[in-house]
Amino acid sequence: MPELGVLLPYDYSPLTILAFVLVLAAYGYALLRMPEHHRPGAVRIVAFVVGVLLCYGVMQTRFDYYSQYMFFVHRGQHLILHHIGPFLIALSNPLPVFRFWQQRLSPVLVSALKPLGLIYRLLQHPLIAPILFVGLIYFWLWPAVHFDAMLSRDLYWLMNWSMLLDGLLFWWLMFDPRSPASGTALGYGKRMLILALVALPQMILGAWIVFSRGMVYDVYEVCGRAWPMAPETDQLLGGLLTWIPPAMMSVLAILILLRRAMHEDERAAGRPPNLKGETVS
Amino acid sequence: MIRWLAVALATLTLTGCQAEPENWHGKDIQGLMPDLAFELKGTNGDTVTPADSRGQVRLLYFGFTSCPDVCPATLAKLRRAVNDMPDPLAGDVTILFVSVDPQRDTPERLASYAAFFGDRVVGLTAPEPRLRDLTKRYRTTFGYDEPDAEGNYNVSHSSAVYAFDRSGEARLLLRPDLTAEQVTEDLIQLASAAPD
Protein backbone atom coordinates (compact mmCIF):
# COMPACT_ATOMS: atom_id res chain seq x y z
CA MET A 1 0.00 0.00 0.00
CA PRO A 2 1.38 3.43 -0.89
CA GLU A 3 2.48 5.66 1.98
CA LEU A 4 -0.32 8.11 1.32
CA GLY A 5 -2.82 5.33 1.91
CA VAL A 6 -2.44 5.72 5.65
CA LEU A 7 -3.95 9.21 5.40
CA LEU A 8 -7.11 7.88 3.77
CA PRO A 9 -10.08 7.00 5.97
CA TYR A 10 -10.54 3.35 6.92
CA ASP A 11 -14.24 3.83 7.38
CA TYR A 12 -15.15 6.68 5.05
CA SER A 13 -17.73 9.01 6.63
CA PRO A 14 -18.84 11.85 4.32
CA LEU A 15 -20.71 13.54 7.16
CA THR A 16 -17.60 13.62 9.34
CA ILE A 17 -15.43 14.98 6.55
CA LEU A 18 -18.05 17.60 5.74
CA ALA A 19 -18.25 18.67 9.39
CA PHE A 20 -14.48 19.12 9.66
CA VAL A 21 -14.23 20.95 6.33
CA LEU A 22 -17.05 23.30 7.35
CA VAL A 23 -15.44 24.05 10.71
CA LEU A 24 -12.06 24.83 9.17
CA ALA A 25 -13.63 26.86 6.35
CA ALA A 26 -15.78 28.88 8.76
CA TYR A 27 -12.74 29.51 10.94
CA GLY A 28 -10.51 30.52 8.04
CA TYR A 29 -13.13 32.77 6.46
CA ALA A 30 -13.74 34.54 9.75
CA LEU A 31 -10.02 35.05 10.26
CA LEU A 32 -9.64 36.71 6.86
CA ARG A 33 -12.72 38.91 7.17
CA MET A 34 -12.59 40.01 10.80
CA PRO A 35 -10.95 43.30 11.81
CA GLU A 36 -7.26 43.01 12.59
CA HIS A 37 -7.59 43.83 16.28
CA HIS A 38 -10.07 40.96 16.84
CA ARG A 39 -7.99 38.36 15.04
CA PRO A 40 -6.41 35.69 17.25
CA GLY A 41 -2.61 35.50 17.26
CA ALA A 42 -0.61 32.83 15.43
CA VAL A 43 -0.24 30.58 18.49
CA ARG A 44 -4.00 30.49 19.02
CA ILE A 45 -4.66 29.76 15.35
CA VAL A 46 -2.13 26.93 15.39
CA ALA A 47 -3.64 25.50 18.59
CA PHE A 48 -7.10 25.53 17.00
CA VAL A 49 -6.02 23.94 13.73
CA VAL A 50 -3.86 21.31 15.44
CA GLY A 51 -6.77 20.42 17.74
CA VAL A 52 -9.15 20.05 14.81
CA LEU A 53 -6.67 18.09 12.70
CA LEU A 54 -5.87 15.73 15.57
CA CYS A 55 -9.55 14.88 15.94
CA TYR A 56 -9.90 14.46 12.20
CA GLY A 57 -6.79 12.30 12.09
CA VAL A 58 -8.02 9.77 14.63
CA MET A 59 -11.43 9.56 12.93
CA GLN A 60 -10.63 9.60 9.23
CA THR A 61 -7.21 8.08 8.66
CA ARG A 62 -5.66 4.65 9.04
CA PHE A 63 -5.45 5.42 12.77
CA ASP A 64 -9.15 4.59 12.96
CA TYR A 65 -8.45 1.06 11.70
CA TYR A 66 -6.06 0.40 14.56
CA SER A 67 -8.52 2.01 16.99
CA GLN A 68 -11.13 -0.53 15.96
CA TYR A 69 -8.91 -3.55 16.43
CA MET A 70 -6.59 -2.65 19.31
CA PHE A 71 -7.92 -1.64 22.69
CA PHE A 72 -5.04 0.61 23.63
CA VAL A 73 -5.17 2.47 20.30
CA HIS A 74 -8.88 2.93 20.87
CA ARG A 75 -8.10 4.49 24.26
CA GLY A 76 -5.60 6.77 22.53
CA GLN A 77 -8.30 7.75 20.05
CA HIS A 78 -10.64 8.74 22.85
CA LEU A 79 -7.86 10.55 24.68
CA ILE A 80 -7.60 12.78 21.63
CA LEU A 81 -11.33 13.08 20.91
CA HIS A 82 -12.40 13.73 24.48
CA HIS A 83 -9.35 15.44 25.94
CA ILE A 84 -6.42 16.68 23.86
CA GLY A 85 -8.24 17.87 20.72
CA PRO A 86 -11.07 19.77 22.46
CA PHE A 87 -8.56 20.98 25.08
CA LEU A 88 -6.51 22.69 22.36
CA ILE A 89 -9.60 24.00 20.55
CA ALA A 90 -11.07 25.53 23.73
CA LEU A 91 -7.70 26.90 24.83
CA SER A 92 -7.25 28.60 21.44
CA ASN A 93 -10.23 30.80 22.39
CA PRO A 94 -12.26 30.81 19.16
CA LEU A 95 -14.66 33.37 20.71
CA PRO A 96 -13.88 36.11 18.12
CA VAL A 97 -14.82 33.61 15.40
CA PHE A 98 -18.10 32.78 17.17
CA ARG A 99 -18.87 36.50 17.46
CA PHE A 100 -18.02 37.07 13.82
CA TRP A 101 -20.51 34.44 12.73
CA GLN A 102 -23.12 35.45 15.27
CA GLN A 103 -23.16 38.95 13.81
CA ARG A 104 -23.55 37.61 10.29
CA LEU A 105 -26.26 35.04 10.92
CA SER A 106 -29.71 36.30 10.05
CA PRO A 107 -31.95 37.09 13.07
CA VAL A 108 -34.40 34.45 11.86
CA LEU A 109 -31.72 31.77 12.08
CA VAL A 110 -30.56 33.06 15.44
CA SER A 111 -34.06 32.78 16.90
CA ALA A 112 -34.46 29.35 15.29
CA LEU A 113 -31.34 28.27 17.15
CA LYS A 114 -32.80 29.39 20.51
CA PRO A 115 -33.80 25.87 21.64
CA LEU A 116 -30.20 24.80 21.02
CA GLY A 117 -29.14 27.51 23.43
CA LEU A 118 -31.40 26.03 26.10
CA ILE A 119 -29.90 22.57 25.65
CA TYR A 120 -26.45 24.12 25.68
CA ARG A 121 -27.09 25.90 28.97
CA LEU A 122 -28.48 22.71 30.48
CA LEU A 123 -25.47 20.64 29.39
CA GLN A 124 -23.10 23.34 30.64
CA HIS A 125 -24.62 23.38 34.11
CA PRO A 126 -21.71 23.00 36.56
CA LEU A 127 -23.32 19.88 38.03
CA ILE A 128 -24.38 18.26 34.78
CA ALA A 129 -21.26 18.93 32.70
CA PRO A 130 -18.80 16.93 34.85
CA ILE A 131 -21.29 14.08 35.30
CA LEU A 132 -21.79 13.95 31.55
CA PHE A 133 -18.05 14.10 30.96
CA VAL A 134 -17.23 11.18 33.25
CA GLY A 135 -20.53 9.41 32.59
CA LEU A 136 -19.83 9.12 28.87
CA ILE A 137 -16.44 7.56 29.53
CA TYR A 138 -17.99 5.03 31.90
CA PHE A 139 -20.93 4.42 29.57
CA TRP A 140 -18.88 3.57 26.50
CA LEU A 141 -16.40 1.55 28.55
CA TRP A 142 -19.14 -0.50 30.19
CA PRO A 143 -18.07 -3.93 28.88
CA ALA A 144 -21.46 -4.86 27.38
CA VAL A 145 -21.93 -1.44 25.79
CA HIS A 146 -18.36 -1.39 24.58
CA PHE A 147 -18.82 -4.77 22.93
CA ASP A 148 -21.87 -3.56 21.00
CA ALA A 149 -20.23 -0.26 20.09
CA MET A 150 -17.27 -2.06 18.54
CA LEU A 151 -19.57 -4.43 16.61
CA SER A 152 -22.04 -1.91 15.26
CA ARG A 153 -20.85 0.69 12.81
CA ASP A 154 -23.62 3.12 13.80
CA LEU A 155 -22.92 2.80 17.50
CA TYR A 156 -19.21 3.19 16.85
CA TRP A 157 -19.76 6.52 15.10
CA LEU A 158 -22.19 7.62 17.76
CA MET A 159 -19.62 6.80 20.41
CA ASN A 160 -16.82 8.77 18.74
CA TRP A 161 -18.96 11.79 17.91
CA SER A 162 -20.50 11.91 21.37
CA MET A 163 -17.02 11.85 22.90
CA LEU A 164 -15.83 14.66 20.65
CA LEU A 165 -18.88 16.89 21.18
CA ASP A 166 -18.88 16.34 24.91
CA GLY A 167 -15.14 17.02 25.02
CA LEU A 168 -15.72 20.34 23.27
CA LEU A 169 -18.51 21.30 25.66
CA PHE A 170 -16.54 20.36 28.75
CA TRP A 171 -13.25 22.02 27.87
CA TRP A 172 -15.05 25.11 26.62
CA LEU A 173 -16.72 25.37 30.03
CA MET A 174 -13.30 25.02 31.65
CA PHE A 175 -11.45 27.47 29.38
CA ASP A 176 -14.23 29.95 28.66
CA PRO A 177 -12.12 33.09 28.18
CA ARG A 178 -14.78 35.46 29.50
CA SER A 179 -13.90 36.61 32.96
CA PRO A 180 -16.13 35.23 35.72
CA ALA A 181 -15.72 38.59 37.48
CA SER A 182 -17.52 40.52 34.75
CA GLY A 183 -19.75 37.91 33.09
CA THR A 184 -21.75 34.76 33.60
CA ALA A 185 -18.81 32.43 33.03
CA LEU A 186 -18.18 29.83 35.69
CA GLY A 187 -15.86 30.96 38.51
CA TYR A 188 -12.28 29.74 38.47
CA GLY A 189 -12.63 28.00 41.82
CA LYS A 190 -15.57 25.96 40.59
CA ARG A 191 -13.76 25.12 37.37
CA MET A 192 -10.73 23.85 39.27
CA LEU A 193 -12.93 21.84 41.60
CA ILE A 194 -14.68 20.23 38.63
CA LEU A 195 -11.33 19.42 37.00
CA ALA A 196 -10.10 17.75 40.17
CA LEU A 197 -13.37 15.86 40.63
CA VAL A 198 -13.50 14.46 37.09
CA ALA A 199 -9.91 13.22 37.35
CA LEU A 200 -10.71 10.87 40.24
CA PRO A 201 -13.26 8.55 38.60
CA GLN A 202 -11.14 8.39 35.47
CA MET A 203 -8.16 7.28 37.52
CA ILE A 204 -10.27 4.68 39.31
CA LEU A 205 -11.58 3.30 36.01
CA GLY A 206 -8.09 3.22 34.46
CA ALA A 207 -6.62 1.51 37.51
CA TRP A 208 -9.44 -1.01 37.50
CA ILE A 209 -8.70 -1.90 33.87
CA VAL A 210 -4.96 -2.10 34.55
CA PHE A 211 -5.35 -4.38 37.55
CA SER A 212 -8.11 -6.59 36.16
CA ARG A 213 -6.89 -10.17 35.97
CA GLY A 214 -9.34 -11.37 33.36
CA MET A 215 -10.15 -9.94 29.97
CA VAL A 216 -12.50 -7.01 30.47
CA TYR A 217 -12.90 -6.16 26.79
CA ASP A 218 -12.95 -9.42 24.89
CA VAL A 219 -14.41 -7.86 21.74
CA TYR A 220 -10.85 -7.31 20.48
CA GLU A 221 -10.22 -11.01 21.05
CA VAL A 222 -13.40 -11.98 19.23
CA CYS A 223 -12.85 -9.67 16.26
CA GLY A 224 -9.16 -10.25 15.80
CA ARG A 225 -6.42 -7.77 16.61
CA ALA A 226 -4.70 -5.61 14.02
CA TRP A 227 -1.44 -7.35 14.83
CA PRO A 228 -0.58 -10.22 17.16
CA MET A 229 -0.19 -8.62 20.59
CA ALA A 230 -0.77 -10.38 23.90
CA PRO A 231 -4.31 -9.46 25.08
CA GLU A 232 -2.98 -8.68 28.57
CA THR A 233 -0.49 -6.17 27.16
CA ASP A 234 -3.19 -4.52 25.09
CA GLN A 235 -5.48 -4.20 28.10
CA LEU A 236 -2.67 -2.96 30.35
CA LEU A 237 -1.65 -0.22 27.90
CA GLY A 238 -5.29 0.75 27.35
CA GLY A 239 -5.85 0.97 31.10
CA LEU A 240 -2.78 3.15 31.55
CA LEU A 241 -4.00 5.47 28.79
CA THR A 242 -7.34 5.77 30.60
CA TRP A 243 -5.66 6.33 33.94
CA ILE A 244 -2.69 8.66 33.61
CA PRO A 245 -2.98 11.13 30.69
CA PRO A 246 -6.56 12.27 31.53
CA ALA A 247 -5.47 12.95 35.11
CA MET A 248 -2.53 14.94 33.78
CA MET A 249 -4.86 16.94 31.55
CA SER A 250 -6.83 17.93 34.64
CA VAL A 251 -3.64 19.01 36.44
CA LEU A 252 -2.48 20.97 33.42
CA ALA A 253 -5.84 22.70 33.09
CA ILE A 254 -5.85 23.61 36.78
CA LEU A 255 -2.40 25.18 36.39
CA ILE A 256 -3.56 27.19 33.37
CA LEU A 257 -6.63 28.40 35.27
CA LEU A 258 -4.54 29.31 38.33
CA ARG A 259 -2.29 31.41 36.16
CA ARG A 260 -5.28 33.07 34.54
CA ALA A 261 -6.92 33.81 37.90
CA MET A 262 -3.70 35.31 39.24
CA HIS A 263 -3.33 37.52 36.18
CA GLU A 264 -6.86 38.77 36.57
CA ASP A 265 -6.30 39.50 40.23
CA GLU A 266 -3.26 41.58 39.39
CA ARG A 267 -5.15 43.39 36.70
CA ALA A 268 -8.12 44.03 38.97
CA ALA A 269 -5.78 45.49 41.54
CA GLY A 270 -4.04 47.80 39.05
CA ARG A 271 -6.60 48.67 36.40
CA PRO A 272 -10.37 48.60 35.96
CA PRO A 273 -11.70 45.16 35.05
CA ASN A 274 -11.66 44.03 31.47
CA LEU A 275 -15.17 44.82 30.35
CA LYS A 276 -14.68 43.64 26.84
CA GLY A 277 -14.60 40.16 28.25
CA GLU A 278 -11.59 39.04 26.35
CA THR A 279 -8.55 37.78 28.11
CA VAL A 280 -5.42 36.68 26.43
CA SER A 281 -4.09 33.29 27.27
CA MET B 1 -26.48 19.02 18.57
CA ILE B 2 -30.20 18.34 18.17
CA ARG B 3 -29.36 16.01 15.37
CA TRP B 4 -26.95 14.18 17.57
CA LEU B 5 -29.50 13.91 20.35
CA ALA B 6 -32.06 12.63 17.88
CA VAL B 7 -29.65 9.96 16.70
CA ALA B 8 -28.83 9.07 20.29
CA LEU B 9 -32.51 8.79 21.21
CA ALA B 10 -33.27 6.77 18.10
CA THR B 11 -30.43 4.41 18.87
CA LEU B 12 -31.49 4.00 22.47
CA THR B 13 -35.04 3.27 21.43
CA LEU B 14 -33.89 0.76 18.85
CA THR B 15 -31.61 -0.96 21.31
CA GLY B 16 -34.46 -1.00 23.77
CA CYS B 17 -36.72 -2.73 21.27
CA GLN B 18 -34.22 -5.51 20.76
CA ALA B 19 -34.34 -6.60 24.37
CA GLU B 20 -36.76 -9.41 23.61
CA PRO B 21 -37.16 -12.31 26.01
CA GLU B 22 -35.25 -14.64 23.68
CA ASN B 23 -32.64 -16.74 25.37
CA TRP B 24 -29.40 -17.20 23.49
CA HIS B 25 -26.07 -18.63 24.53
CA GLY B 26 -24.40 -16.61 21.79
CA LYS B 27 -24.29 -12.85 21.77
CA ASP B 28 -27.40 -11.33 20.19
CA ILE B 29 -26.24 -9.06 17.38
CA GLN B 30 -29.57 -8.45 15.71
CA GLY B 31 -29.61 -4.91 14.40
CA LEU B 32 -25.95 -4.38 15.20
CA MET B 33 -24.53 -5.90 12.05
CA PRO B 34 -25.44 -5.84 8.36
CA ASP B 35 -27.12 -8.84 6.75
CA LEU B 36 -25.26 -11.56 4.90
CA ALA B 37 -23.70 -10.37 1.64
CA PHE B 38 -20.56 -11.57 -0.11
CA GLU B 39 -19.17 -12.63 -3.44
CA LEU B 40 -16.45 -15.19 -2.98
CA LYS B 41 -14.75 -17.97 -4.91
CA GLY B 42 -15.90 -21.51 -4.20
CA THR B 43 -13.63 -24.57 -4.26
CA ASN B 44 -14.62 -25.41 -7.83
CA GLY B 45 -13.76 -21.91 -9.01
CA ASP B 46 -17.35 -20.67 -9.23
CA THR B 47 -18.51 -17.44 -7.70
CA VAL B 48 -20.52 -18.07 -4.54
CA THR B 49 -23.04 -15.64 -3.05
CA PRO B 50 -25.56 -15.97 -0.21
CA ALA B 51 -28.17 -16.86 -2.85
CA ASP B 52 -26.50 -20.28 -3.17
CA SER B 53 -27.58 -21.11 0.37
CA ARG B 54 -30.81 -19.15 0.37
CA GLY B 55 -33.25 -20.05 3.14
CA GLN B 56 -30.57 -21.76 5.22
CA VAL B 57 -29.21 -20.79 8.59
CA ARG B 58 -25.69 -19.65 7.72
CA LEU B 59 -22.64 -19.76 9.99
CA LEU B 60 -19.82 -17.51 8.82
CA TYR B 61 -16.32 -18.21 10.06
CA PHE B 62 -13.01 -16.66 9.04
CA GLY B 63 -9.88 -18.82 9.26
CA PHE B 64 -7.16 -20.53 7.25
CA THR B 65 -6.36 -24.17 6.61
CA SER B 66 -2.84 -24.05 8.10
CA CYS B 67 -4.42 -22.85 11.35
CA PRO B 68 -2.86 -24.95 14.12
CA ASP B 69 -5.65 -25.21 16.68
CA VAL B 70 -8.40 -22.58 16.72
CA CYS B 71 -9.90 -23.27 13.29
CA PRO B 72 -9.98 -27.08 13.48
CA ALA B 73 -11.40 -26.91 17.00
CA THR B 74 -14.08 -24.42 15.97
CA LEU B 75 -15.06 -26.32 12.83
CA ALA B 76 -15.12 -29.63 14.70
CA LYS B 77 -17.36 -28.04 17.31
CA LEU B 78 -19.67 -26.63 14.65
CA ARG B 79 -19.87 -30.06 12.95
CA ARG B 80 -20.83 -31.68 16.25
CA ALA B 81 -23.32 -28.93 17.02
CA VAL B 82 -25.02 -29.31 13.62
CA ASN B 83 -24.99 -33.13 13.74
CA ASP B 84 -26.67 -33.05 17.15
CA MET B 85 -29.61 -31.10 15.76
CA PRO B 86 -32.84 -33.02 15.12
CA ASP B 87 -32.93 -34.52 11.66
CA PRO B 88 -34.88 -32.18 9.41
CA LEU B 89 -33.23 -29.08 10.88
CA ALA B 90 -29.62 -30.24 10.60
CA GLY B 91 -29.87 -30.12 6.81
CA ASP B 92 -30.85 -26.46 7.02
CA VAL B 93 -27.52 -25.19 8.32
CA THR B 94 -24.62 -24.18 6.08
CA ILE B 95 -21.18 -23.46 7.49
CA LEU B 96 -19.31 -20.88 5.41
CA PHE B 97 -15.60 -21.24 6.04
CA VAL B 98 -13.85 -18.21 4.55
CA SER B 99 -10.09 -18.57 4.27
CA VAL B 100 -8.29 -15.27 4.83
CA ASP B 101 -5.07 -16.84 3.55
CA PRO B 102 -5.77 -17.03 -0.20
CA GLN B 103 -2.07 -17.31 -1.01
CA ARG B 104 -1.69 -20.75 0.53
CA ASP B 105 -5.28 -21.94 0.44
CA THR B 106 -5.73 -23.17 -3.12
CA PRO B 107 -9.19 -24.42 -4.14
CA GLU B 108 -8.02 -28.05 -3.85
CA ARG B 109 -6.56 -27.54 -0.43
CA LEU B 110 -9.65 -25.66 0.75
CA ALA B 111 -11.94 -28.34 -0.73
CA SER B 112 -10.28 -31.22 1.09
CA TYR B 113 -10.11 -29.20 4.31
CA ALA B 114 -13.81 -28.32 4.15
CA ALA B 115 -14.77 -31.88 3.28
CA PHE B 116 -12.90 -33.12 6.33
CA PHE B 117 -15.36 -31.23 8.53
CA GLY B 118 -18.45 -32.66 6.90
CA ASP B 119 -20.73 -31.90 3.98
CA ARG B 120 -22.31 -28.86 5.66
CA VAL B 121 -19.05 -26.89 5.27
CA VAL B 122 -18.49 -24.70 2.22
CA GLY B 123 -14.90 -23.58 1.65
CA LEU B 124 -14.60 -20.03 0.28
CA THR B 125 -11.92 -17.47 -0.36
CA ALA B 126 -11.14 -14.43 -2.53
CA PRO B 127 -8.27 -12.10 -3.36
CA GLU B 128 -7.10 -10.18 -0.29
CA PRO B 129 -8.79 -6.81 -1.06
CA ARG B 130 -12.17 -8.50 -1.34
CA LEU B 131 -11.56 -10.34 1.93
CA ARG B 132 -10.65 -7.02 3.54
CA ASP B 133 -13.99 -5.59 2.42
CA LEU B 134 -15.87 -8.57 3.78
CA THR B 135 -14.12 -8.63 7.16
CA LYS B 136 -14.62 -4.87 7.44
CA ARG B 137 -18.34 -5.36 6.84
CA TYR B 138 -18.44 -7.65 9.86
CA ARG B 139 -16.10 -5.44 11.87
CA THR B 140 -13.31 -7.93 12.13
CA THR B 141 -9.84 -8.07 10.65
CA PHE B 142 -6.95 -10.39 9.91
CA GLY B 143 -3.20 -10.00 9.70
CA TYR B 144 -0.15 -12.00 8.71
CA ASP B 145 2.98 -12.73 10.73
CA GLU B 146 6.44 -12.63 9.17
CA PRO B 147 7.12 -16.01 7.45
CA ASP B 148 9.69 -18.26 9.16
CA ALA B 149 12.59 -20.05 7.39
CA GLU B 150 10.25 -22.63 5.85
CA GLY B 151 7.88 -19.94 4.63
CA ASN B 152 5.23 -20.75 7.25
CA TYR B 153 3.45 -17.85 8.84
CA ASN B 154 0.69 -17.38 11.32
CA VAL B 155 -2.53 -15.50 10.54
CA SER B 156 -4.51 -13.52 13.09
CA HIS B 157 -8.27 -13.68 12.54
CA SER B 158 -11.59 -13.46 14.33
CA SER B 159 -12.25 -16.26 16.77
CA ALA B 160 -16.02 -15.94 16.68
CA VAL B 161 -18.66 -17.41 14.39
CA TYR B 162 -21.34 -15.16 12.92
CA ALA B 163 -24.79 -16.76 12.70
CA PHE B 164 -27.34 -15.54 10.16
CA ASP B 165 -30.97 -16.61 10.12
CA ARG B 166 -32.84 -18.03 7.15
CA SER B 167 -33.50 -14.59 5.74
CA GLY B 168 -29.80 -13.69 5.94
CA GLU B 169 -30.10 -11.31 8.88
CA ALA B 170 -27.19 -11.23 11.34
CA ARG B 171 -28.46 -12.75 14.58
CA LEU B 172 -25.76 -14.18 16.79
CA LEU B 173 -22.08 -14.01 17.51
CA LEU B 174 -20.93 -17.39 18.79
CA ARG B 175 -17.92 -16.83 21.00
CA PRO B 176 -15.23 -19.50 21.19
CA ASP B 177 -16.06 -20.33 24.81
CA LEU B 178 -19.47 -21.80 23.91
CA THR B 179 -19.83 -25.59 24.06
CA ALA B 180 -21.15 -27.64 21.16
CA GLU B 181 -24.35 -28.27 23.15
CA GLN B 182 -24.95 -24.55 23.58
CA VAL B 183 -24.34 -23.95 19.88
CA THR B 184 -26.82 -26.74 19.06
CA GLU B 185 -29.50 -25.15 21.23
CA ASP B 186 -28.98 -21.75 19.59
CA LEU B 187 -29.03 -23.28 16.11
CA ILE B 188 -32.27 -25.19 16.79
CA GLN B 189 -33.88 -21.96 17.97
CA LEU B 190 -32.60 -20.09 14.90
CA ALA B 191 -33.62 -22.79 12.43
CA SER B 192 -37.06 -23.29 14.02
CA ALA B 193 -38.02 -19.64 13.67
CA ALA B 194 -40.17 -18.98 10.63
CA PRO B 195 -38.43 -16.91 7.94
CA ASP B 196 -39.63 -13.33 7.59
Side-chain angles (χ1 to χ4, degrees):
Chain A
M1 187 179 283
E3 288 299 300
L4 274 178
V6 298
L7 292 179
L8 293 176
Y10 171 67
D11 188 3
Y12 176 65
S13 161
L15 215 64
T16 303
I17 294 180
L18 184 73
F20 278 94
V21 167
L22 279 180
V23 164
L24 282 180
Y27 189 77
Y29 182 85
L31 281 190
L32 292 176
R33 293 300 176 92
M34 70 174 56
E36 186 100 33
H37 59 279
H38 283 164
R39 195 175 299 153
V43 177
R44 279 168 60 189
I45 296 175
V46 168
F48 181 87
V49 174
V50 168
V52 171
L53 287 184
L54 273 177
C55 293
Y56 177 84
V58 296
M59 285 173 116
Q60 287 288 279
T61 68
R62 195 77 188 159
F63 191 94
D64 183 48
Y65 167 76
Y66 294 107
S67 309
Q68 291 189 23
Y69 300 112
M70 292 305 242
F71 178 64
F72 86 93
V73 186
H74 153 78
R75 290 319 300 151
Q77 182 188 44
H78 276 200
L79 181 64
I80 287 179
L81 287 179
H82 204 211
H83 288 86
I84 298 173
F87 186 97
L88 284 172
I89 292 169
L91 200 58
S92 81
N93 179 11
L95 201 59
V97 178
F98 293 158
R99 292 208 171 116
F100 174 88
W101 283 107
Q102 195 187 13
Q103 283 157 12
R104 268 153 195 79
L105 290 179
S106 71
V108 182
L109 194 60
V110 170
S111 60
L113 290 176
K114 274 261 167 63
L116 269 187
L118 281 178
I119 297 173
Y120 173 80
R121 270 189 292 281
L122 176 74
L123 294 180
Q124 295 297 65
H125 187 279
L127 273 179
I128 293 176
I131 292 174
L132 193 65
F133 186 77
V134 172
L136 266 185
I137 301 174
Y138 271 72
F139 176 75
W140 291 117
L141 278 179
W142 201 260
V145 175
H146 193 74
F147 198 98
D148 284 7
M150 298 315 281
L151 285 188
S152 156
R153 187 168 179 247
D154 294 340
L155 281 183
Y156 181 77
W157 278 107
L158 182 71
M159 168 173 78
N160 283 353
W161 267 106
S162 65
M163 290 305 263
L164 174 56
L165 292 177
D166 177 60
L168 287 170
L169 283 174
F170 179 79
W171 291 108
W172 180 246
L173 183 67
M174 292 301 108
F175 289 135
D176 191 330
R178 288 164 290 194
S179 165
S182 55
T184 53
L186 196 60
Y188 291 129
K190 280 184 193 158
R191 297 191 202 187
M192 286 185 252
L193 186 64
I194 289 175
L195 283 166
L197 284 179
V198 298
L200 274 176
Q202 295 186 79
M203 290 161 77
I204 293 169
L205 180 62
W208 176 71
I209 295 172
V210 166
F211 293 117
S212 284
R213 299 247 171 130
M215 268 289 109
V216 186
Y217 302 106
D218 61 341
V219 66
Y220 302 89
E221 195 70 351
V222 168
C223 291
R225 286 192 160 76
W227 69 85
M229 174 190 257
E232 298 77 25
T233 318
D234 191 14
Q235 183 160 301
L236 179 81
L237 289 175
L240 287 176
L241 275 175
T242 312
W243 179 357
I244 294 165
M248 284 169 62
M249 299 298 287
S250 272
V251 172
L252 188 62
I254 289 174
L255 291 178
I256 291 172
L257 288 177
L258 267 178
R259 176 174 165 273
R260 199 182 277 180
M262 279 155 66
H263 270 269
E264 274 184 30
D265 277 353
E266 282 165 21
R267 214 174 307 163
R271 279 172 290 161
N274 186 351
L275 288 177
K276 268 201 305 193
E278 284 189 18
T279 54
V280 255
S281 182
Chain B
M1 194 63 203
I2 280 216
R3 193 193 173 82
W4 170 61
L5 282 173
V7 175
L9 277 178
T11 315
L12 285 177
T13 334
L14 283 176
T15 338
C17 293
Q18 282 156 27
E20 282 161 20
E22 285 173 330
N23 241 332
W24 302 102
H25 296 292
K27 152 91 187 150
D28 190 345
I29 54 168
Q30 195 172 19
L32 287 180
M33 289 222 155
D35 54 4
L36 188 63
F38 60 80
E39 207 183 305
L40 298 166
K41 211 164 63 204
T43 47
N44 53 7
D46 293 349
T47 301
V48 178
T49 68
D52 296 295
S53 51
R54 195 195 306 273
Q56 296 252 309
V57 168
R58 267 76 50 101
L59 299 176
L60 178 67
Y61 181 60
F62 298 98
F64 63 116
T65 65
S66 325
C67 182
D69 41 28
V70 188
C71 309
T74 306
L75 287 172
K77 185 163 72 186
L78 290 183
R79 177 179 56 184
R80 246 192 72 198
V82 175
N83 286 344
D84 287 350
M85 291 171 75
D87 224 359
L89 290 182
D92 289 351
V93 180
T94 300
I95 301 167
L96 304 164
F97 176 71
V98 179
S99 164
V100 290
D101 187 16
Q103 209 174 346
R104 283 184 294 181
D105 288 343
T106 58
E108 301 76 42
R109 192 169 166 166
L110 199 51
S112 64
Y113 189 79
F116 182 76
F117 291 102
D119 55 358
R120 306 306 318 159
V121 182
V122 179
L124 300 165
T125 192
E128 198 189 321
R130 182 162 290 177
L131 291 171
R132 291 268 169 220
D133 287 345
L134 182 65
T135 50
K136 183 174 170 182
R137 183 176 170 89
Y138 297 105
R139 302 193 75 75
T140 174
T141 189
F142 58 96
Y144 304 115
D145 258 357
E146 288 297 317
D148 65 10
E150 282 94 51
N152 297 320
Y153 52 88
N154 202 1
V155 181
S156 69
H157 59 93
S158 161
S159 62
V161 177
Y162 300 81
F164 298 82
D165 63 17
R166 290 177 186 271
S167 55
E169 199 184 332
R171 295 295 296 274
L172 294 175
L173 192 69
L174 306 171
R175 293 191 221 206
D177 55 353
L178 294 187
T179 64
E181 289 72 32
Q182 290 172 320
V183 176
T184 306
E185 284 174 26
D186 276 6
L187 288 180
I188 292 174
Q189 201 177 332
L190 257 190
S192 309
D196 297 338

